[in-house]
Each structure stands twice: as C-alpha cells, then as structure tokens.
Amino acid sequence: MNFISNYFQFKENNTNFKAEILGGITSFLTMAYILFVVPGILSQVGMSETSVFAATAIASAVGTFIMGAFAKFPTVLAPGMGLNAFFAFGVCFGMGIEWQTAMAAVLMSGLIFTVISITGIREMIIKAIPNNLKFAVTAGIGLFIAFIGLKNAGIIVGDESTYVALGDLSSKQVLLSIFGIVVMAVLMVRGVKTAIFLGLVVTVIGGVLIGVVDAPSAIIAMPPSVAPTFGAAVRHLGDLFNAKMMLVVFTFLFMDFFDTAGTLVAIGSKVGLIREDGSVKNGPRALLADSVATCVGAVFGTTNTTTCMESLSGISVGARTGFSSVVAAGCFIISLFFSPLLSVVTSGVTAPALIIVGSLLCTSLKEIEWDAPEIAIPSFLTIILMPLTYSIGEGIAFGFLAYVILMLAKGKRKEVHPIMYALGVLFLVYFIL
C-alpha cells in the first residue's frame, strides 16, 4: 500500500485510496456504454460483434493501465465514438472499403502516432493546424455522428423529394430511441455523471417491456474469442499504399491525435498537470499510451482507442492520480465476462448515445472566430460537409484546402504553416484523382 501511495504521490496530490478507487470506478461506469455501442456499430460492417466486444475491452484495459501506471494520468481510454462512426459509416459504407483494410488503416495511424509521440513531432503538428479548424473538425464530427444516430433511430429517413424527412414517430422502435434520448438528456441536466450508461440501461429495459428488444438469455459468460478479428489489420497493411487509403489513415491519425491532445489539456487543467509554459506534465507519456492502445486495439479488432473526456466524471468524485486509471483498467478486464448483454444493445438502443455525444461535441462551435470570413468559411465547409458527404475525411479535405486558398487571398500567406500548404496540395491531388 505504501509503495502505491508513494509511486502515485497521493500526499502531494491530496488524495487517498478511497477517492482514487471511487474515481476509477466512476470513470469506468461513465464509459461502459462504449463496450456495447462499438460492437453494435462495427457488426454492421461484417465484423463479429462478440469479437469486437472483447477487443474493445482489451484495448481499453491496456491503454487505461498504461495511462495510469506509466503516464500517471487520471484518464480512461476507449475507442472514440467519432472515430468509430467514421470507420463504419465513412470508410466501410461511404467509401466501400472492406473492414479488414479499414482496420489496417487504424493500425497504421496508431503506428505513426507512436512515432510522432516518441520523436516530438507532435508539437510541430499541433502548432501547424489552426485552432479554429480543430474546433470545426470536432463540431463536424458531432453533427456527423448525431446524423447517424438520428438515421439509426428512424427519426429521420431518406426521401426522394426533400432528401431527408421525418420518420414514422408511431413506430415502437422510433419511440424507444426518443425515450432513450429524453432519459439521457434529463439525467445529464440533473448532473448525473453516468447519464449515458444509465440511459442505455433504462432504454434496454424499456425496449424489453414493449417487445422490441429480446431479453438476454444470460448475463455472465466466459470471455468471447477474438479469433474472427485478430490479426486482420496486420495482414492487410499492404492494401494501404494508395491515395484513397492514405487520406483515411491521415483522417484517423488527425482525429485521434487532436482529440487526445485536447482532452489531456482539458483534464490536466483540472488536476494541476499543466505547466507554466502551457505544456502537459507527462504529456508525451500520455500520448504514447494512447497510440500504443490504438495499435493493440487494431490488432485485436477495434477502432482507434483514445483518451476520453468522460474521465472528468471520475475526477469530479476525487480521482487525482494514475491509480484511478489502474482501477478502471481492472474494471474493463472484469467486463469481458458480460458479453451476453450484447444481444440487448440494438441500433435503436445505441442511437440515443450517438445523438447525445454528438451534441456534446458541437459545443466547440462557440470557439470559432465566425467574424473572420477566411476562418468562418473553411470552418463551415469542414462542419457541414462531414454529414452531407457522409465522410469526415472529405469534410476535413474541403475545409483545409479552403483555408489555404482564402488565407492566400487575404494576404496572410505568412500565417499559414508549411505543413498546411503541404496538406492543401495533398487534398487537391486527392480530389483531382
């Protein structure tokens, strides 16, 4: 016990075992919905739902443990909702790419992330891309996954005349999703930290009661096999050497990298891990934990594993050190024995979580400088084209290219980083080809 308290510096961080354990469990419960939502989404592209469940739990456990024990950061890692949606609906469905090749792109992005985390290139990349475009990407992802949630719920449907229209609100499946949205929203308004997880549970119970969700045949079972997905990413790395897949790899890398960096800064400021120069204490180690988790997850069969903002729920109840992350990692391991519950998590049940998370991501809209047209127009194109093209990558490409062109037109060429010029040329070539 003394070794643990000394290693994690409980006294210096004004914390104790009780607070850290409670914080770790709270962070896990806040993120537990990911264990069921991710397999539900990826099963739609032909992946084994139970295998993805196991891969998600393993990647989350490994990443969270490294984050706690090595980086000593009180955060939980799990596959990101935006990245997961982009994988399934943007890459596999939108671009017609097989899931095995898409998973290879996830692995490649993780390997590149690992290299830039070790070499220090990360600071250069962070400085190269304007904050306004980072905020725009976050908001665009929010609209994209909310759109997917509304579609999966049946709240909006395709229409030949108006492109989209309101779905059949008398349908039990649609009503169940609306019920889930209301429950989650009310719990969040009431300040419940585990709102999404509890909302998922209540929605499942409601679905069973009205007969649109079948009750599970069991609750506990031995961990499922990862054989259906394990190693597929490694075997398909050779499929990535073309312009289309390089854009996919870049998009995975971009989303994962800046999502993690932003989350670490936000959480670090809450627990006193931000230095005077604005850098994050143990930031390189935290980024390395994230990148290694993505590689592990891709090999086992799940999408980019990233640092989750929901970790703030654990911090709010007392977590201050990496020991809380070690506790949360243990919870992910235990969750491997609850795979039978996957059968009750249908698309109608997970849709409310997508919509609510999408709304949270859109809070970054307020940070964009809308008064400057050379900023507002590229930001708007980035945001709006993600859901309208059904592609996060193409939204980024249009927005970044527009930014370079308009900054040149404004006479601000010196304010554009060389990396942005390189990206602009890359995206222009991509569109031409």
Side-chain angles (χ1 to χ4, degrees):
M1 287 295 187
N2 286 334
F3 169 77
I4 294 176
S5 62
N6 291 333
Y7 180 77
F8 290 103
Q9 299 179 313
F10 281 7
K11 185 176 181 180
E12 292 84 344
N13 289 285
N14 193 29
T15 188
N16 54 58
F17 277 101
K18 180 180 178 181
E20 293 298 301
I21 292 173
L22 180 60
I25 294 174
T26 300
S27 291
F28 168 76
L29 290 176
T30 306
M31 285 305 304
Y33 71 94
I34 288 290
L35 291 168
F36 302 99
V37 175
V38 169
I41 292 175
L42 296 190
S43 65
Q44 297 179 49
V45 302
M47 298 181 71
S48 165
E49 188 172 21
T50 54
S51 182
V52 173
F53 171 82
T56 299
I58 292 169
S60 300
V62 171
T64 302
F65 179 80
I66 296 174
M67 183 66 81
F70 179 63
K72 299 182 182 180
F73 225 90
T75 53
V76 172
L77 282 77
M81 290 291 286
L83 288 153
N84 190 252
F86 173 60
F87 179 97
F89 303 103
V91 179
C92 294
F93 288 141
M95 302 174 72
I97 295 170
E98 294 293 329
W99 70 262
Q100 294 91 338
T101 302
M103 196 58 70
V106 173
L107 175 58
M108 180 63 77
S109 71
L111 293 172
I112 296 172
F113 195 176
T114 301
V115 171
I116 64 178
S117 296
I118 293 173
T119 60
I121 298 175
R122 63 189 184 282
E123 285 88 359
M124 182 176 66
I125 298 176
I126 289 175
K127 293 177 181 177
I129 300 176
N131 287 332
N132 286 284
L133 290 183
K134 296 173 192 173
F135 296 136
V137 169
T138 300
I141 293 170
L143 288 182
F144 181 69
I145 65 175
F147 176 73
I148 292 168
L150 290 166
K151 174 180 173 292
N152 288 351
I155 296 174
I156 58 171
V157 295
D159 185 273
E160 291 186 3
S161 301
T162 60
Y163 304 114
V164 292
L166 191 65
D168 180 11
L169 299 186
S170 64
S171 164
K172 286 185 177 181
Q173 185 65 60
V174 175
L175 289 173
L176 176 64
S177 295
I178 293 174
F179 171 71
I181 295 169
V182 172
V183 171
M184 291 180 191
V186 169
L187 289 173
M188 291 186 71
V189 169
R190 297 296 298 175
V192 178
K193 303 299 181 183
T194 56
I196 295 178
F197 175 74
L198 290 178
L200 200 67
V201 173
V202 173
T203 305
V204 166
I205 294 173
V208 172
L209 292 177
I210 64 175
V212 297
V213 174
D214 295 328
S217 57
I219 295 178
I220 298 176
M222 291 300 293
S225 170
V226 295
T229 58
F230 183 79
V234 178
R235 293 191 295 271
H236 287 264
L237 283 172
D239 299 340
L240 302 180
F241 299 101
N242 57 74
K244 178 191 287 188
M245 291 311 302
M246 283 297 102
L247 177 61
V248 173
V249 171
F250 168 77
T251 304
F252 279 134
L253 176 64
F254 177 90
M255 292 168 63
D256 193 357
F257 185 84
F258 288 106
D259 185 42
T260 298
T263 302
L264 290 177
V265 170
I267 293 176
S269 63
K270 294 284 186 181
V271 293
L273 292 175
I274 302 297
R275 298 189 180 97
E276 292 183 3
D277 62 358
S279 62
V280 180
K281 184 178 180 181
N282 288 339
R285 290 188 174 193
L287 289 170
L288 185 60
D290 190 288
S291 61
V292 170
T294 289
C295 294
V296 171
V299 171
F300 277 90
T302 192
T303 49
N304 297 68
T305 304
T306 185
T307 308
C308 301
M309 191 65 78
E310 286 88 344
S311 302
L312 287 170
S313 63
I315 291 171
S316 69
V317 298
R320 290 294 180 274
T321 75
F323 184 65
S324 65
S325 298
V326 174
V327 172
C331 292
F332 277 116
I333 294 298
I334 294 172
S335 70
L336 281 166
F337 296 90
F338 291 87
S339 62
L341 295 178
L342 281 169
S343 64
V344 302
V345 187
T346 64
S347 60
V349 170
T350 59
L354 290 172
I355 296 166
I356 294 297
V357 172
S359 71
L360 297 176
L361 291 175
C362 283
T363 57
S364 65
L365 285 168
K366 68 178 183 296
E367 307 294 341
I368 298 173
E369 298 175 51
W370 293 107
D371 293 335
E374 67 273 18
I375 297 298
I377 294 173
S379 297
F380 176 75
L381 289 174
T382 301
I383 295 165
I384 197 66
L385 287 174
M386 285 188 190
L388 293 186
T389 63
Y390 218 67
S391 169
I392 292 173
E394 291 182 359
I396 290 173
F398 271 107
F400 280 31
L401 183 56
Y403 172 79
V404 172
I405 293 172
L406 294 182
M407 289 295 282
L408 286 173
K410 184 69 174 180
K412 295 183 176 181
R413 62 182 179 83
K414 292 183 178 180
E415 295 182 26
V416 181
H417 196 282
I419 289 179
M420 289 300 295
Y421 284 119
L423 292 175
V425 172
L426 175 65
F427 291 141
L428 183 61
V429 171
Y430 167 76
F431 287 128
I432 292 173
L433 295 178

